[in-house]
Amino acid sequence: MSVFVFLSNLNLFTLVVFLIIALIMRYVSLYSYVVPSAPAQILAEGSVSFVAGLIGENTAAKHKILHVFVPYVYVVFSFILVSNFAGMVPYSFTVTSSLAVTFAIAAASFIGVNIVGARIHKLGFLAIFLPPGCPIFISPFIILIETVSYIARVLSLSIRLFANMMAGHTLLKILAGFA
């Protein structure tokens, strides 16, 4: 049985995207200096600062543990960016137009956020399922609704990225048909 039996467009272009990211990061790390002077290093450090700023603005700054998310968010950001740019090349495949890929990214993010949230807040993390000031007699229903909506975020994030990529491809195919 050959290795190429399991090689689909999704697998091939996922490997291509990871190789592009690895080559860019390798190039930047080989020619990096303490004071950035090369354009590639300035671009790489600027994008890392951008992601770190996003995390700092959108999370509670009092917990320094949240800065461990910077490498993960940077990798996800780079993967989505490079795979979407690779999809702009004619006759190529956009990895993020696969629901399995977008669901895997959303599920990994969901699990990581829950682990870190439970580690920081302990049992207080469960307070997100019951808003303060909620009447006690409707608490079970509110907890059920909040739990379903919290879990639905995984599907929402994955379907949103998938649908945006598919809509873009459909629009480009329709516009190309007019030419």
Side-chain angles (χ1 to χ4, degrees):
M1 195 162 212
S2 175
V3 170
F4 297 108
V5 173
F6 302 109
L7 196 61
S8 65
N9 278 348
L10 178 64
N11 296 341
L12 177 68
F13 280 97
T14 302
L15 288 173
V16 167
V17 166
F18 278 127
L19 281 173
I20 290 170
I21 293 171
L23 289 174
I24 289 171
M25 290 301 130
R26 178 71 177 157
Y27 175 77
V28 169
S29 67
L30 282 178
Y31 301 105
S32 61
Y33 303 100
V34 176
V35 176
S37 58
Q41 184 182 0
I42 293 171
L43 183 65
E45 289 188 16
S47 61
V48 171
S49 296
F50 171 73
V51 170
L54 280 177
I55 291 175
E57 291 172 4
N58 294 311
T59 59
K62 61 184 175 181
H63 296 291
K64 296 298 179 192
I65 193 171
L66 295 175
H67 290 288
V68 301
F69 274 121
V70 171
Y72 173 72
V73 173
Y74 183 71
V75 167
V76 170
F77 171 76
S78 300
F79 177 75
I80 292 173
L81 182 72
V82 171
S83 66
N84 290 347
F85 278 145
M88 300 285 286
V89 176
Y91 303 108
S92 68
F93 180 76
T94 303
V95 177
T96 53
S97 68
S98 170
L99 189 58
V101 172
T102 58
F103 181 76
I105 293 170
S109 301
F110 181 77
I111 290 169
V113 164
N114 284 328
I115 289 172
V116 171
R119 195 167 168 197
I120 291 174
H121 299 291
K122 310 283 189 260
L123 286 177
F125 183 68
L126 297 175
I128 64 171
F129 298 115
L130 186 64
C134 181
I136 195 73
F137 61 91
I138 63 168
S139 293
F141 300 113
I142 296 294
I143 290 173
L144 179 67
I145 290 170
E146 290 290 331
T147 303
V148 169
S149 70
Y150 188 71
I151 293 171
R153 288 182 189 176
V154 177
L155 291 174
S156 171
L157 289 172
S158 58
I159 291 172
R160 201 177 336 158
L161 178 58
F162 164 73
N164 284 335
M165 295 312 300
M166 289 305 293
H169 289 291
T170 305
L171 179 66
L172 285 176
K173 185 147 184 127
I174 290 170
L175 293 176
F178 289 138

